[in-house]
Every structure is written in C-alpha cells, then in structure tokens.
Amino acid sequence: MTTAAPVPSSRDLPHPARGEIRLEGVLHALSDPVRMRIVRELAAAGVALSCSQFDVPVTKSTSTHHFRVLRENGVIRQVYEGTAKMNVLRRDDLDELFPGLLDSLLAAAAHQADRRNET
Amino acid sequence: MTTAAPVPSSRDLPHPARGEIRLEGVLHALSDPVRMRIVRELAAAGVALSCSQFDVPVTKSTSTHHFRVLRENGVIRQVYEGTAKMNVLRRDDLDELFPGLLDSLLAAAAHQADRRNET
DNA sequence: GCCGTACTACGATGCCTATCGTACGACCCG
DNA sequence: CGGGTCGTACGATAGGCATCGTAGTACGGC
C-alpha cells in the first residue's frame, strides 16, 4: 500500500535482522580505528549523519567500504535520502542483544582517546 | 609451602605493558570465535590454565597462534611452568584501562551463546 | 642419559581486507 | 535538460591472518 511514510527514495540497502547480528562481527567492525571513529562521531551526534559529514582520513571509496562493513555487521543503519546516505547507530538493537556493551565500548574508546591527548 | 618466588623457569615471554594495550587490539583479539572461547573458559575458570586444557577445535599449532595473539594484544598473560604454559586473564589491567568492558564482553558472549543453545 | 609431553618455529596455502584511482549511477536544482 | 554533488562499483595491490603439517626445542621423570 505504499503509504506516505518517509519514502526513503527507492533504493534500499540490505541490513542484518536483529537476531542475525553476531558479537564477533560487531567486534571485528569496531577493531578498525577508522570505523571506531565513525561510530564515536555517530554516537556523539545522536542524530543521523550523511557519509560526507564524517572526518575520516581516507578517500571516499575507502570510506564507502567502512560504512558497508559497519552496516553488514549490524552496527549502523543506512538509508538514502536523496543523494545523501544517512547513518544512524543501531543502538536499540545492540542494547537489546548485548546490554551495556555499546556504552562500555564507547566509554573505553573515549577513555583511550583522553589518555592519548594528555601526556 | 614452596618458596615465595615463583621462579617461572628461565624463558620469559614478551607482554605489552598496561599502558601499551590498545582497544583496537583487544577487540581484534576477541573478534575471533576461537579466541573468544579461550577467554571465556579462562574467565569461567578463574585460575591459570595450561594451553592444553582448553577445548578448541583447531590443531595445536593454530592454538599456539591464537594464544600469542591474545598475549600480544594484552588480553592474557602467559608464564612457563615447566613444560606447561600457564594462562591468566589480565583482568586487573583491562579493568583499569577500560572499566566494565571485559565484563560487558563476557556477558555479551554468554548471552549470545545462550540464544544459540535455546531455540 | 633417555623418553615422553608441552609447546614452538617455520613454511605453505588460501582467504580476507584496507587502501586507492577511475569510471559510473542516482538525485537535486536551476 | 544539464551540471554538480553524493556515493557506488570495479579492478588492482599489498599486506595480514587463520589454518595446517612437520620438524624441532625445553623440561620433568624414570
């Protein structure tokens, strides 16, 4: 019935269902510094951000790759809005599957970043 | 009551200092199912275990590789005791660096294992 | 001194992945 | 329609890594 809804622009992207998200996959996704940085920016923002709004030290095609890894491992959700691809953390799904994990990871990342900036 | 000094048998193994442990490294180490399994067994045991006491589905040489990855990334500490190589979790260091992270990770792994065993 | 056990070292293999550049497709705006 | 922006697809490359088998070293016990 193609209700009005958001109409996210025809092209949809494959996401794992909540139950398909695997811990190893999440950890692997976050074990790359670039991807961890993306997730941290996303968590700090609290709202959806387009891919181009992130400050990552790689080219656009590499960036695309990292966003895909995050999506395929269930860490983020991506939706097209016009030419922009909007990204949000799958916080609800992750919190339900692994209570407290995401916050611990973000805190650990922040903690480590702090230690580096001091000294 | 033997002498207080452990006398860990001449050969020592290189470990990262607490401050050298990196979050990415820890996550990478735990993103492999075999290594996560080792860490879970170690956490459940609460005492030092020799390499051969673990129930992992790989050959011994592969097992050696996984233990080394865990050690080099600061997740476990390894000490020779005779021919046996004893392993312990570096819980104190990890808790100090990343408060709550290890417990969240272990809980998440347990949670996921539970979900798999049910159904 | 010799043997068995515990673990390692090394080399091979096949796969995965982070990176890039270039060429292309989708979409909005004027 | 045409141009510009956003992101993708594809191929190439180089490095990492999980796995194994075999051969070898360290150590304790007999």
Side-chain angles (χ1 to χ4, degrees), chain A residues 51-52 60 64 80 83 85:
Chain A
C51 292
S52 57
K60 263 203 303 187
T64 294
Y80 275 107
T83 70
K85 200 183 202 171

Side-chain angles (χ1 to χ4, degrees), chain A:
Chain A
M1 80 173 167
T2 69
T3 59
V7 182
S9 155
S10 55
R11 35 182 184 166
D12 271 3
L13 296 159
H15 290 79
R18 175 187 289 185
E20 291 167 355
I21 298 177
R22 308 252 7 173
L23 178 58
E24 312 90 85
V26 173
L27 297 185
H28 168 247
L30 295 181
S31 69
D32 182 285
V34 174
R35 291 193 290 260
M36 177 57 95
R37 182 164 176 169
I38 289 172
V39 169
R40 291 186 63 204
E41 288 190 31
L42 213 42
V47 299
L49 295 176
S50 71
C51 292
S52 57
Q53 291 182 275
F54 292 82
D55 179 31
V56 290
V58 292
T59 65
K60 263 203 303 187
S61 54
T62 302
S63 172
T64 294
H65 161 69
H66 285 308
F67 278 106
R68 181 172 47 214
V69 171
L70 287 170
R71 185 188 73 239
E72 290 178 345
N73 284 290
V75 180
I76 67 174
R77 197 173 282 281
Q78 296 191 292
V79 173
Y80 275 107
E81 265 175 39
T83 70
K85 200 183 202 171
M86 305 306 291
N87 304 274
V88 286
L89 260 187
R90 293 184 68 172
R91 181 179 275 283
D92 49 350
D93 290 322
L94 293 173
D95 282 348
E96 167 83 17
L97 284 171
F98 313 120
L101 179 63
L102 183 57
D103 286 330
S104 289
L105 287 167
L106 291 170
H111 202 161
Q112 176 168 285
D114 283 355
R115 263 199 316 279
R116 297 234 130 197
N117 286 349
E118 294 169 6
T119 323

Side-chain angles (χ1 to χ4, degrees), chain B residues 12-41:
Chain B
D12 273 2
L13 296 159
H15 289 79
R18 174 187 291 186
E20 292 167 355
I21 298 177
R22 308 246 37 200
L23 178 58
E24 310 89 85
V26 173
L27 297 186
H28 168 247
L30 295 181
S31 69
D32 182 284
V34 174
R35 291 194 291 262
M36 176 59 95
R37 182 164 176 170
I38 289 172
V39 169
R40 290 187 66 204
E41 288 190 29

Side-chain angles (χ1 to χ4, degrees), chain B residues 34-99:
Chain B
V34 174
R35 291 194 291 262
M36 176 59 95
R37 182 164 176 170
I38 289 172
V39 169
R40 290 187 66 204
E41 288 190 29
L42 214 41
V47 297
L49 295 177
S50 70
C51 292
S52 57
Q53 291 183 275
F54 291 82
D55 179 31
V56 290
V58 292
T59 66
K60 263 208 294 194
S61 56
T62 302
S63 172
T64 294
H65 161 69
H66 285 307
F67 278 106
R68 182 172 47 215
V69 171
L70 287 170
R71 171 170 47 83
E72 290 177 345
N73 284 289
V75 179
I76 67 173
R77 196 174 282 282
Q78 296 191 291
V79 173
Y80 275 107
E81 264 175 40
T83 70
K85 199 182 203 174
M86 304 307 290
N87 305 273
V88 286
L89 258 187
R90 293 184 68 173
R91 183 178 273 284
D92 49 350
D93 290 322
L94 292 173
D95 282 348
E96 167 83 17
L97 284 171
F98 312 119

